[in-house]
Amino acid sequence: MSDRLTIGQLYPASLHSSTLQRSSIPKQSVPGEATFESVLQQKLLKFSNHAAKRLEQRGIELGSRQLDEISSAVDKAAAKGSKESLILMKDLAFIVSVPNRTVVTAMDGNSIKDNVFTQIDSAIVIS
């Protein structure tokens, strides 16, 4: 019984404290490996403040199916190298910043009529 134990310690006092310290080895990440959060953020479709206001003002409600269709359209536009895209879906239109995956503005059927869309490099029609 030569080992002395102190309350709160789970090891004999004869051990040197430096042997118990964890080494500060940084986590090594595989190059090109993305975190779950970064992958999730890359796949999420975002709405700008302006687009959110337009959706509310025009009474446009989007279901999960419609959001999936828009997201799929953004994926197709990104695959073609688009930057700003017009997405037409039934009687709705969306201008989307493709690299940011952000809907910039939204229009209903009445707002689309007699409108000129500028500064877009692609258009996608969802039927």
Side-chain angles (χ1 to χ4, degrees):
M1 291 247 236
S2 62
D3 290 337
R4 187 182 70 178
L5 293 176
T6 307
I7 295 175
Q9 288 182 321
L10 299 176
Y11 54 88
S14 61
L15 290 177
H16 194 270
S17 63
S18 65
T19 60
L20 298 174
Q21 292 177 350
R22 295 181 189 230
S23 60
S24 59
I25 300 172
K27 289 185 179 180
Q28 295 179 358
S29 62
V30 177
E33 181 180 319
T35 63
F36 176 76
E37 183 178 352
S38 66
V39 171
L40 182 63
Q41 290 300 323
Q42 290 172 358
K43 294 293 180 185
L44 284 179
L45 186 65
K46 299 176 269 293
F47 288 83
S48 69
N49 289 334
H50 177 78
K53 287 179 186 176
R54 294 297 174 258
L55 288 169
E56 186 179 329
Q57 286 174 349
R58 295 171 177 153
I60 301 171
E61 292 184 16
L62 300 173
S64 61
R65 183 170 171 257
Q66 291 171 313
L67 291 172
D68 289 342
E69 289 175 341
I70 296 169
S71 183
S72 176
V74 172
D75 291 338
K76 290 176 186 176
K80 296 287 185 175
S82 298
K83 302 292 183 216
E84 296 289 326
S85 187
L86 167 66
I87 298 176
L88 296 170
M89 182 169 50
K90 297 179 183 160
D91 65 336
L92 301 174
F94 305 93
I95 302 291
V96 179
S97 171
V98 176
N100 299 331
R101 298 189 61 81
T102 303
V103 176
V104 178
T105 193
M107 291 162 270
D108 59 1
N110 294 332
S111 302
I112 294 173
K113 294 176 183 174
D114 297 325
N115 203 346
V116 176
F117 298 99
T118 60
Q119 297 184 359
I120 60 169
D121 59 11
S122 61
I124 302 165
V125 180
I126 301 172
S127 55

